Amino acid sequence: MKLSDNKATLSFSNGRPAIELPVYSGNIGPEVIDIRKLYGQTGMFTYDPGFLSTASCQSAITFIDGDKGELLYRGYPIEQLATQCNYMETCHLLLYGNLPGAAAQTAFVKNVKYHTMVNEQMQFFLRGFRRDAHPMAIMTGLVGALSAFYHDSTDINNAEHREVAAIRLIAKMPTLVAMAYKYSVGQPFMYPKNELSYAGNFLHMMFATPCEPYVVNPVIERAIDRIFTLHADHEQNASTSTVRLCGSSGTNPFAAIAAGVACLWGPAHGGANEACLQMLEEIQASGGISKVGEFMNQVKDKNSNVKLMGFGHRVYKNYDPRATLMQETCNEVLEALGLQDDPLFKLAKAVEKIALEDDYFVSRKLYPNVDFYSGIVQRAIGIPVKLFTGIFALARTAGWIAQLNEMISDPEYKIGRPRQLFTGSPRRDVLPIANR
Ligand code: CMC
């Protein structure tokens, strides 16, 4: 971060002298006003619920230009990564800052594969859950529980521990998600098969059984890999900020990532893919395309509390580039599976078209986000709706851990501790119970 020639002056109407605040520039994107000394100099805090204008850290990992609809991981456009690289290369990029050459890629993949199994005890822990537990409830527990099994990689201040924890998390997430699925359907857990690709192995653990050979469909494998790449990171979103805040106390990486999983679950964030598919299914059940207008009226009615799930984004005020790629993947998968006439896909396209022509959405710059089409692809592949957010968590783990490790290596990092504007009662005395 460079000191800008630009300076900010904060003046007050009550006669307090004005203060000058330094301004820093990044390499691209808006400049930031450094308010770290504001409280010391003025006794005042800033107020910004939801971080609408607050940069909580400096980061060199992911950049989003929300107006242009551009997403870069370490400078590379998501369109190029999704079409020219695989998820393992993307993980390497996020973690180490560069796309690996052939030798580095082989070594990285080998390292990840070495860690794909989970401690056998994990399955006994998993068996404590109800069979109908939501997979994200299970994932929150399982990821946090990793810290009870891998004591040699829990010291966040030790660079070697951080490195091993990163690889372990990326390697074990598919195993845990697949175990959560197998448990819910009462099938035996399938051990990882390291001869397969990362995505292929995930499909194997999900859909193979010990009874018959399972052959990975290359179109599905590529689609899953692309879903992973598209979800791998997204700068300081709610779950990533949660991971950073949680990790800033010095807790172990597994605990910090478990906090990210918990945050991701919400329907305004990663849970939107599940909520979006449920929404489409409900419109379909109520009459399909002919009922879209009625549904849109509910969405636009401020008293209804109904949102068009998979639409809108805090940062994108243009088409989410991941949604475009996801729609392409959707086409490919449906065609490969002979499901071109999938009614939900048709419905989703109709909803999108109506929304993009409606002044409510146009004036608020609401466009489809990554979750609008991802559910349709996953459903076509045979992934149950409840598992969608688990797959998002699996993929986002690379971003979470890269961001966590970046924060710990940043000499400027401090425990996160926001301030508040207090609106409660001033000091008062406790009365004896009979007088309250
Ligand atoms: N449907 C209907 N109205 C919407 C929607 C929507 N999906 N999204 C935003 N709006 C309206 C909102 O009511 C507000 O209207 P008004 O100005 O009249 O009060 C205006 O658009 C601005 O929205 P906001 O709530 O101030 O925007 P935000 O930045 O706080 O929220 C969001 C962003 C993603 C939480 C929100 O757009 C939303 O809830 N979308 C649906 C859930 C969703 O798809 N989430 C996935 C996000 S992408 C993947 C991820 O990050 O996990």
Side-chain angles (χ1 to χ4, degrees), residues 169-401:
L169 276 157
I170 291 170
K172 294 182 197 307
M173 283 299 274
T175 315
L176 296 180
V177 172
M179 283 171 75
Y181 169 64
K182 286 295 197 192
Y183 184 67
S184 74
V185 289
Q187 287 185 8
F189 302 128
M190 295 300 290
Y191 288 113
K193 232 185 187 179
N194 287 347
E195 78 220 32
L196 297 172
S197 70
Y198 188 85
N201 176 47
F202 176 63
L203 288 168
H204 155 80
M205 290 188 292
M206 284 284 296
F207 299 119
T209 67
C211 318
E212 293 174 5
Y214 174 80
V215 181
V216 176
N217 175 332
V219 177
I220 310 289
E221 183 181 14
R222 180 72 203 133
I224 284 284
D225 192 83
R226 183 182 274 193
I227 290 173
F228 291 166
T229 300
L230 296 182
H231 287 90
D233 195 45
H234 215 227
E235 53 118 306
Q236 308 312 320
N237 56 83
S239 58
T240 301
S241 299
T242 300
V243 168
R244 281 185 178 256
L245 190 58
C246 184
S248 77
S249 72
T251 191
N252 73 75
F254 304 109
I257 302 300
V261 175
C263 176
L264 187 76
W265 191 0
H269 192 10
N273 50 19
E274 178 178 342
C276 179
L277 203 93
Q278 274 160 358
M279 172 193 82
L280 292 171
E281 279 174 343
E282 278 166 27
I283 302 175
Q284 187 65 13
S286 73
I289 294 181
S290 65
K291 293 287 172 183
V292 173
E294 215 171 281
F295 176 74
M296 288 301 196
N297 288 339
Q298 283 179 41
V299 169
K300 291 189 278 183
D301 175 2
K302 284 282 158 205
N303 301 317
S304 75
N305 245 340
V306 177
K307 285 226 158 132
L308 179 55
M309 300 313 287
F311 255 71
H313 199 274
R314 170 64 59 78
V315 184
Y316 293 117
K317 300 301 166 202
N318 201 328
Y319 218 95
D320 177 342
R322 302 169 300 171
T324 316
L325 291 154
M326 197 61 86
Q327 199 190 22
E328 259 175 51
T329 302
C330 207
N331 274 324
E332 277 165 33
V333 167
L334 295 179
E335 204 187 310
L337 298 176
L339 298 170
Q340 293 93 324
D341 292 328
D342 180 70
L344 278 199
F345 188 45
K346 284 193 170 156
L347 178 66
K349 282 200 191 161
V351 170
E352 180 188 340
K353 187 165 183 301
I354 292 169
L356 292 179
E357 287 167 0
D358 188 310
D359 187 57
Y360 175 93
F361 296 92
V362 175
S363 61
R364 290 172 178 76
K365 299 188 176 167
L366 301 172
Y367 292 87
N369 61 50
V370 68
D371 292 320
F372 195 64
Y373 286 105
S374 73
I376 298 174
V377 187
Q378 294 187 58
R379 176 174 154 276
I381 290 172
I383 295 168
V385 178
K386 272 183 159 187
L387 206 67
F388 291 177
T389 316
I391 293 192
F392 192 157
L394 178 175
R396 182 57 58 84
T397 296
W400 285 333
I401 195 81

